[in-house]
């Protein structure tokens, strides 16, 4: 008779966030290790630091306790505007927002310098994939030609996220694909003949570094990084 292999246990992709919630709610590393069936706390430290994923069975107790809270944190709502500007479409995406980067117009006169966000780049981590979300400020034309109308206006909504409209979503990117896409966005802004793009290009330049650093801290080193 051939031996039947045990099915591999399913990994819980939001282990780090779940353990963080447990810690915030009073559980210690020792408590978590005991609930998971470990005699030492070493594995829990790896979970907390995002260096390893637990199996669903190992953290089932905390899934039962906190997944409803985690789900709220990991679900994000965006909305886009129709051409007639009176109808909206609502979009939900699941994952951890790991970066929100605003592209600003800077006005130096009169002093002091004032910044007005016109576009925004959001990166969402979902498991081993990344979603790239591009937004524009509510009220901004598609070509950005009316940006001056927004300069003296404060955010029209007290809920910050309601001030931004979804323009484009690029889903399920591998780390290197994410880097390539960010580099492409920076290049597009740099080479664009559109006046609005030239105004905010300066904020796309650090984005190339920020994304590489973000991925490096998550264990991915892009092939253009030199080891000193």
């Amino acid at each position: 008779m051939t031996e039947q292999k045990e099915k591999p246990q399913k990994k819980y992709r939001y282990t780090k966030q779940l353990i963080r919630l447990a810690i915030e709610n009073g559980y210690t590393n020792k408590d978590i290790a005991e609930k998971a069936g470990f005699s030492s706390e070493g594995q829990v430290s790896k979970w907390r630091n995002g260096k390893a994923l637990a199996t669903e069975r190992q953290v089932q107790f905390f899934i039962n306790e906190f997944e409803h809270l985690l789900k709220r944190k990991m679900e994000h709502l965006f909305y886009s505007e129709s051409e007639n500007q009176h109808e909206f479409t609502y979009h939900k995406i699941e994952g951890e927002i790991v970066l929100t980067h605003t592209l600003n117009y800077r006005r130096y006169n009169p002093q002091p310098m004032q910044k007005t966000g016109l576009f925004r780049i959001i990166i969402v981590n979902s498991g081993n994939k990344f979603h790239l979300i591009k937004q524009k400020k509510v009220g901004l034309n598609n070509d950005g030609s009316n940006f001056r109308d927004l300069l003296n206006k404060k955010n029209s909504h007290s809920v910050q996220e309601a001030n931004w409209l979804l323009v484009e979503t690029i889903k399920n990117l591998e780390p290197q694909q994410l880097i390539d896409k960010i580099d492409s966005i920076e290049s597009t802004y740099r080479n664009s003949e559109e006046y609005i793009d030239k105004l905010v290009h300066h904020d796309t330049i650090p984005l190339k570094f920020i994304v590489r650093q973000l991925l490096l801290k998550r264990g991915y080193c892009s092939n253009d990084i030199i080891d000193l």
Side-chain angles (χ1 to χ4, degrees):
M1 292 179 63
T2 58
E3 293 184 2
Q4 290 186 343
K5 293 184 178 179
E6 290 187 10
K7 291 183 180 180
Q9 292 292 317
K10 187 177 179 181
K11 298 288 187 179
Y12 191 72
R13 62 177 178 174
Y14 296 128
T15 298
K16 179 180 178 180
Q17 293 81 6
L18 184 68
I19 298 302
R20 187 184 303 161
L21 267 176
I23 296 293
E24 290 173 357
N25 282 273
Y27 287 91
T28 65
N29 279 19
K30 183 179 180 181
D31 296 330
I32 296 169
E34 289 177 355
K35 295 291 186 184
F38 293 115
S39 57
S40 68
E41 303 169 24
Q43 188 62 37
V44 177
S45 296
K46 292 181 181 179
W47 293 344
R48 287 185 65 177
N49 296 327
K51 294 182 179 180
L53 293 178
T55 66
E56 289 185 354
R57 186 170 64 181
Q58 288 169 331
V59 291
Q60 190 61 56
F61 174 85
F62 298 104
I63 291 174
N64 295 341
E65 287 283 308
F66 300 119
E67 192 171 47
H68 66 289
L69 297 176
L70 181 60
K71 191 173 183 180
R72 294 178 198 170
K73 287 190 173 185
M74 305 297 279
E75 288 185 336
H76 312 283
L77 186 67
F78 301 93
Y79 72 125
S80 58
E81 192 175 42
S82 63
E83 291 184 3
N84 62 23
Q85 299 184 343
H86 294 295
E87 296 179 0
F88 300 94
T89 304
Y90 299 90
H91 313 264
K92 184 182 75 170
I93 195 164
E94 182 181 321
E96 179 187 11
I97 292 180
V98 294
L99 180 67
T100 300
H101 187 80
T102 303
L103 309 184
N104 296 290
Y105 166 69
R106 288 171 169 80
R107 182 169 56 174
Y108 295 93
N109 288 308
Q111 295 290 342
M113 186 268 287
Q114 297 177 343
K115 293 194 300 183
T116 301
L118 299 179
F119 302 101
R120 201 161 72 158
I121 303 290
I122 293 178
I123 296 175
V124 178
N125 179 218
S126 182
N128 296 320
K129 302 286 187 179
F130 294 90
H131 310 313
L132 179 63
I133 294 167
K134 298 171 69 176
Q135 295 177 301
K136 69 172 184 176
K137 182 63 75 66
V138 167
L140 189 67
N141 290 345
N142 289 334
D143 61 0
S145 59
N146 68 333
F147 76 94
R148 288 186 177 85
D149 297 339
L150 305 179
L151 299 184
N152 295 319
K153 291 183 179 179
K154 295 182 179 180
N155 288 338
S156 56
H157 304 286
S158 58
V159 178
Q160 178 59 231
E161 298 307 314
N163 293 300
W164 297 93
L165 289 171
L166 180 67
V167 175
E168 183 181 6
T169 305
I170 306 167
K171 298 182 68 177
N172 298 320
L173 296 172
E174 300 286 350
Q176 189 59 49
Q177 291 175 320
L178 176 61
I179 288 172
D180 293 341
K181 190 62 185 176
I182 290 295
D183 288 355
S184 175
I185 288 173
E186 186 278 327
S187 177
T188 298
Y189 275 95
R190 173 166 32 92
N191 297 309
S192 175
E193 296 300 321
E194 297 291 338
Y195 183 60
I196 189 69
D197 293 342
K198 294 180 182 298
L199 289 177
V200 300
H201 167 242
H202 45 72
D203 276 329
T204 68
I205 298 171
L207 191 57
K208 298 173 67 173
F209 170 82
I210 291 168
V211 170
R212 282 168 170 80
Q213 183 187 57
L214 184 153
L215 292 173
L216 187 64
K217 290 182 180 297
R218 290 172 174 263
Y220 179 80
C221 181
S222 65
N223 49 25
D224 61 354
I225 293 178
I226 300 170
D227 190 348
L228 296 180

